[in-house]
Amino acid sequence: TQPERTLVLIKPDGVTRHLTGEVLRRIEAKGYTIVALEQRTVGTELLTEHYAEHQGKPFFAPLLEFMMSGPVVAAIAEGHGVIEGFRSLAGTTNPTSAAPGTIRGDLGRDWGTTVQQNLVHGSDSPESAEREIALWFPQG
Ligand code: DAT
Ligand code: MG
C-alpha cells in the first residue's frame, strides 16, 4: 500500500488547554510523520466548507462558533493507514464515552455545551482527506 495523508485539526479547546504538544506527541509516537503544521484562526467560509456534511444539523452553528473561538492547529499526518489510524487514536466523537487510551477518551469530557468539544478532528475517509487537505492547505 502507498502511504497516505490525513488532515488533523487541534480544535480551539485543545490549543487553549495547551494540548497541542500532547496530540502531536501521540501522532509521532504511533510512527506517523507530521508533514505540515500551522496554527491559525479561521472564518465561517472555510468552516462551512469543512463541515458541509453537517449543514442543517442543530449543532452546526454552535460548531462553527466553537471552531472560531480561538486558534486552531492544522496538520497533515502521513503514514500507511493514517486516516483510519488517527481516527483510532482520536477515539469516538463523544468524549464522555470515548475509550480510555484515546485522545478524546483520556483528555476530553462533556463541558455542557451544545456542541461536543472533543479536541481534535481527523478526516474520515480517503475522499474526505483529499478534500480537506486541499481546503486547509491549498498551496500544496
Ligand atoms: P467526528 O469529529 O468524530 O468526525 P462528526 O463529523 O460526526 O464527528 O461531527 C463533527 C463535530 O460536530 C464533532 O467533532 C462534534 C460535533 N458533533 C457531532 N455530533 C454532535 C452531536 N450529536 N451533538 C453535539 N455535537 C456534535
Ligand atoms: Mg467528521
Side-chain angles (χ1 to χ4, degrees), residues 11 50-51 53-54 87 93 104 121-124 128 132:
K11 299 182 181 184
H50 176 75
Y51 281 125
E53 66 174 311
H54 297 303
R87 297 276 296 183
T93 306
R104 289 162 168 174
H121 166 85
S123 308
D124 63 10
S128 300
E132 292 172 4

Side-chain angles (χ1 to χ4, degrees), residues 18-102:
H18 303 127
L19 295 171
T20 300
E22 171 66 18
V23 171
L24 296 176
R25 185 193 67 74
R26 289 175 183 229
I27 293 169
E28 291 201 301
K30 181 82 172 176
Y32 300 132
T33 303
I34 307 291
V35 296
L37 184 66
E38 188 174 296
Q39 178 169 311
R40 61 170 100 140
T41 54
V42 291
T44 311
E45 206 171 308
L46 174 66
L47 291 169
T48 300
E49 286 243 6
H50 176 75
Y51 281 125
E53 66 174 311
H54 297 303
Q55 273 188 69
K57 295 182 185 171
F59 59 83
F60 183 73
L63 176 59
L64 264 56
E65 197 178 336
F66 165 56
M67 293 295 290
M68 293 188 290
S69 67
V72 168
V73 170
I76 301 173
E78 184 177 87
H80 295 278
V82 69
I83 297 170
E84 183 185 355
F86 179 74
R87 297 276 296 183
S88 177
L89 285 183
T92 52
T93 306
N94 181 340
T96 294
S97 48
T102 66

